[in-house]
Amino acid sequence: MVRIDERVARGFSLLRSEEFKPLVEFLKARRLETLENLSVEHNEGMKSRLQGRSLELKEFLEFIEDANILLAKTRRP
């Protein structure tokens, strides 16, 4: 498992700024698109890939949303 250090947490925090709002909205839209594709996909291999993509995007978006908490955790002694 890859640990989130202070530099990475600061990066996620920066993604919360207004400047990066279009990127975050794109990632949210990409996740919704992936979920929609998953709901109609019949190929099991493709379903697995779509599930993985969806989970990865979800996790990434959660890191952005929780950036301040992550940053505080990395600064604990």
Side-chain angles (χ1 to χ4, degrees), residues 26-32 34 51-63:
F26 170 80
L27 294 172
K28 288 178 181 178
R30 180 73 170 156
R31 181 163 186 261
L32 287 176
T34 300
Q51 286 173 336
R53 179 187 304 157
S54 174
L55 289 172
E56 191 71 28
L57 287 166
K58 179 180 183 262
E59 185 177 41
F60 192 76
L61 289 165
E62 287 173 350
F63 286 150

Side-chain angles (χ1 to χ4, degrees), residues 32-48:
L32 287 176
E33 178 185 56
T34 300
L35 290 171
E36 289 171 2
N37 289 339
L38 180 59
S39 70
V40 297
E41 184 59 54
H42 299 292
N43 179 292
E44 289 303 316
M46 183 56 86
K47 276 187 176 185
S48 292

Side-chain angles (χ1 to χ4, degrees), residues 4-15 67 71 74-75:
I4 295 177
D5 63 15
E6 185 177 349
R7 293 179 324 151
V8 174
R10 275 189 277 134
F12 282 126
S13 184
L14 286 173
L15 291 174
L71 192 55
T74 63
R75 292 182 174 167

